[in-house]
């Protein structure tokens, strides 16, 4: 399969060469992988940081820790912020050489910031804020500005050297977060892939597969343990999709609860982290909604979990069906769970409405951004903004569209209430990560964006196994999209062998705390 690469006119080519040279030069020679490794890479590169010899045993041990454990180790004085930033920063450099996951690398700045935090701790006997407690060494998606670092909205034409922090990074910095890298995103930030003028990001578990999008660079970096946590955006599945593809955790909170002011994007997304909520970002941005992320106590009652096998529009692939069936069996046997067979309410209409909202101007702005930068459209982008999917709207047309969306949201809310579900367990994607440039259905995530229902993705503990994940001998598609999607797996299930299978849990709008509490219970049962 020939993969599309970013191309353009002579001016574009010259600028892109400069951009890539700048990124390449930022990786120190001491962290360069030898040609003996780069010349014969396996499909699964997740083990190379351990075996390449560029990291010490203590650095490897630190990068195996999650954010909570790092919090405890720094608070107890076992490790310093400099130790943690150095370890993750070095591993991020290795990850980038294997997956092309970064757009900016500035470890020296991160170490300087961490050193200030360590000196404060020594001087005051306490940490700066919640994120210094957790150390949080945070990777940031490319279109989220950090003062003095590069950012873009997915096009060369809006590439900038950010003059100041956006609200998100400003708040995180005050909380004690340390920044050291920025991560790749796709052209236009509107496909479930991750190929841009910086290059194409690969899935660490299988380089023939996509890391997902649009926060695909972040998904690959965290899967490579070059970061313990990151900030992305999600208007159609752009956090949950890469999390699912790369076998990591991700949450898309209720919209307008997290600060997105000054993001470099013509379509701002939504992201979340608990300490941000406690910092009351709504006092800074009057468009935000103050909600609590406190986790309710669910130990005194049964948790009502709806299980949705498919959306009645496009059937998931055998690895996903196996995971969702096994999850249902385990949840049904749990004494603290009441399983509900959840039948989706007109998801085909919901997905169609969501897609229409994405490009209300018929993708004219998208095409203008490409033209302004002399940039050719990539194949998946061409599909995503094709006339069969998007249409231009005048003011009255937008009013009518928004009215349709609001009517659908009311109908769906009434239906959900009738089922009695606290949360719904469902696929986050059709299967495992897809082959590059084939992800043409986002219905399992985008529907929840339209409804503005928060969702969390987590690993099921299973991986694709072609010996048991066999395509059905006969297949009756539920829709044209189903017929098209089916072939991408059925042609050769062996291509997906070993890829992680993830699940998605969803709650109603503003029930983010309930979602997180329920996710812990559900995952413990499924993986127990």
């Amino acid at each position: 399969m020939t993969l599309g690469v970013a191309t353009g006119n002579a001016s574009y080519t010259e600028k892109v060469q400069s951009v890539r040279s700048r990124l390449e030069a930022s990786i120190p020679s001491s962290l360069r992988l030898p040609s003996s490794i780069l010349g014969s890479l396996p499909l699964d590169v997740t083990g190379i940081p351990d075996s390449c010899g560029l990291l010490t045993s203590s650095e490897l041990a630190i990068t195996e820790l999650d954010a909570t454990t790092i919090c405890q180790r720094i608070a107890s004085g076992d490790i310093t912020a400099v130790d943690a930033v150095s370890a993750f920063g070095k591993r991020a450099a290795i990850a980038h050489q294997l997956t092309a996951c970064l757009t900016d690398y500035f470890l020296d700045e991160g170490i300087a910031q961490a050193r200030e935090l360590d000196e404060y701790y020594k001087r005051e006997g306490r940490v700066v804020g919640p994120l210094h407690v957790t150390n949080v060494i945070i990777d940031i998606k490319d279109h989220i500005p950090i003062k003095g670092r590069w950012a873009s909205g997915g096009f060369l034409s809006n590439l900038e050297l950010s003059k100041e922090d956006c609200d998100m990074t400003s708040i995180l910095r005050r909380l004690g977060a340390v920044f050291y890298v920025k991560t790749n995103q796709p052209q236009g930030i509107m496909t479930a892939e991750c190929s841009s003028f910086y290059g194409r990001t690969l899935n660490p578990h299988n380089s023939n597969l996509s890391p997902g999008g649009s926060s695909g660079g972040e998904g690959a970096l965290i899967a490579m343990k070059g970061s313990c946590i990151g900030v992305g955006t999600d208007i159609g599945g752009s956090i949950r999709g890469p999390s699912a593809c790369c076998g990591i955790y991700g949450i898309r909170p209720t919209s307008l609860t997290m600060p997105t002011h000054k993001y470099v994007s013509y379509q701002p997304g939504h992201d979340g982290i608990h300490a941000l909520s406690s910092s009351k970002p709504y006092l800074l941005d009057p468009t935000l909604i103050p909600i609590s992320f406190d986790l309710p106590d669910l130990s005194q009652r049964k948790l009502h979990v709806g299980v949705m096998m498919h959306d009645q529009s496009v059937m998931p692939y055998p690895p996903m069906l196996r995971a969702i069936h096994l999850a249902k069996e385990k949840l049904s046997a749990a004494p603290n769970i009441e399983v509900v067979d959840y039948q989706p309410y007109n998801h085909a209409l919901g997905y169609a409405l969501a897609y229409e909202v994405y490009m209300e101007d018929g993708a004219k702005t998208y095409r203008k951004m490409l033209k302004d930068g002399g940039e050719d459209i990539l194949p998946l982008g061409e599909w995503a903004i094709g006339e069969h999917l998007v249409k231009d709207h005048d003011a009255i047309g937008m009013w009518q569209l928004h009215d349709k969306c609001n009517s659908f949201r009311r109908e769906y809310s009434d239906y959900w209430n009738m089922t009695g579900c606290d949360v719904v367990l469902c696929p986050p994607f059709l299967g495992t990560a897809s082959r590059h440039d084939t992800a043409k259905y986002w219905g399992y995530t985008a529907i929840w964006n339209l409804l503005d229902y928060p969702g969390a993705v987590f690993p099921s503990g299973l991986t694709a196994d072609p010996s048991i994940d066999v395509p059905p001998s006969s297949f009756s598609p539920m829709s044209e999209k189903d017929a098209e999607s089916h072939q991408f797996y059925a042609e050769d299930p062996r291509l997906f062998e070993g890829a992680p299978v993830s699940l998605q849990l969803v709650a109603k709008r503003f029930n983010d705390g309930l979602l997180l509490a329920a996710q812990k219970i559900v995952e413990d049962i499924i993986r127990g």
Side-chain angles (χ1 to χ4, degrees), residues 256-339:
L256 298 180
T257 59
M258 295 294 148
T260 59
H261 184 54
K262 297 181 182 177
Y263 280 17
V264 185
S265 175
Y266 57 97
Q267 296 183 104
H270 310 289
D271 41 27
I273 187 169
H274 181 78
L276 276 167
S277 176
S278 65
S279 74
K280 301 180 180 180
Y282 51 84
L283 296 178
L284 182 66
D285 186 345
T287 66
L288 299 182
I289 300 169
I291 69 169
S292 172
F293 281 77
D294 292 340
L295 275 58
D297 180 6
L298 301 176
S299 63
Q300 303 304 310
R301 67 174 179 89
K302 281 194 172 186
L303 182 67
H304 289 70
V305 180
V307 178
M308 188 182 87
M309 295 295 184
H310 61 80
D311 66 358
Q312 296 181 350
S313 183
V314 178
M315 184 65 67
Y317 301 149
M320 182 61 68
L321 290 174
R322 175 164 59 94
I324 201 84
H325 276 289
L326 180 60
K328 184 179 180 180
E329 289 178 10
K330 290 189 173 184
L331 291 171
S332 298
N336 58 333
I337 302 292
E338 184 72 34
V339 171

Side-chain angles (χ1 to χ4, degrees), residues 101-313:
C101 56
L102 303 182
T103 62
D104 203 356
Y105 183 84
F106 42 102
L107 180 57
D108 288 346
E109 287 186 23
I111 290 175
Q113 188 181 353
R115 186 171 291 114
E116 291 178 4
L117 295 175
D118 286 337
E119 290 172 354
Y120 181 91
Y121 180 79
K122 292 177 183 178
R123 183 175 66 252
E124 303 294 335
R126 59 187 177 89
V127 294
V128 169
L131 298 187
H132 184 196
V133 174
T134 58
N135 176 44
V136 179
I137 303 132
I138 296 185
D139 68 84
I140 301 291
K141 189 174 178 178
D142 186 52
H143 75 119
I144 302 174
I146 298 173
K147 183 178 180 180
R149 306 313 314 178
W150 293 95
S152 81
F155 302 100
L156 184 66
S157 57
N158 60 8
L159 177 67
E160 67 166 41
L161 189 63
S162 301
K163 295 180 180 179
E164 57 185 350
D165 287 341
C166 62
D167 285 358
M168 172 66 77
T169 50
S170 176
I171 292 172
L172 288 171
R173 196 186 296 275
R174 290 200 305 270
L175 290 170
V178 176
F179 309 127
Y180 64 115
V181 295
K182 298 191 73 178
T183 55
N184 200 17
Q185 60 198 15
Q187 182 184 75
I189 326 180
M190 273 303 297
T191 59
E193 182 57 90
C194 198
S195 184
S196 72
F197 56 87
Y198 281 102
R200 178 183 293 273
T201 302
L202 307 177
N203 191 307
H205 299 283
N206 184 334
S207 59
N208 286 333
L209 304 180
S210 167
S214 62
S215 307
E218 185 167 81
L221 178 66
I222 294 175
M224 289 293 293
K225 301 178 181 177
S227 173
C228 59
I229 194 169
V231 177
T233 50
D234 187 326
I235 65 168
S238 291
I239 288 173
R240 290 160 294 153
S243 297
C245 290
C246 296
I248 62 175
Y249 294 84
I251 179 172
R252 181 263 178 198
T254 299
S255 64
L256 298 180
T257 59
M258 295 294 148
T260 59
H261 184 54
K262 297 181 182 177
Y263 280 17
V264 185
S265 175
Y266 57 97
Q267 296 183 104
H270 310 289
D271 41 27
I273 187 169
H274 181 78
L276 276 167
S277 176
S278 65
S279 74
K280 301 180 180 180
Y282 51 84
L283 296 178
L284 182 66
D285 186 345
T287 66
L288 299 182
I289 300 169
I291 69 169
S292 172
F293 281 77
D294 292 340
L295 275 58
D297 180 6
L298 301 176
S299 63
Q300 303 304 310
R301 67 174 179 89
K302 281 194 172 186
L303 182 67
H304 289 70
V305 180
V307 178
M308 188 182 87
M309 295 295 184
H310 61 80
D311 66 358
Q312 296 181 350
S313 183

Side-chain angles (χ1 to χ4, degrees), residues 434-445:
S434 62
R435 288 182 286 160
H436 289 287
D437 293 336
T438 64
K440 296 183 177 181
Y441 186 69
W442 325 331
Y444 284 97
T445 50

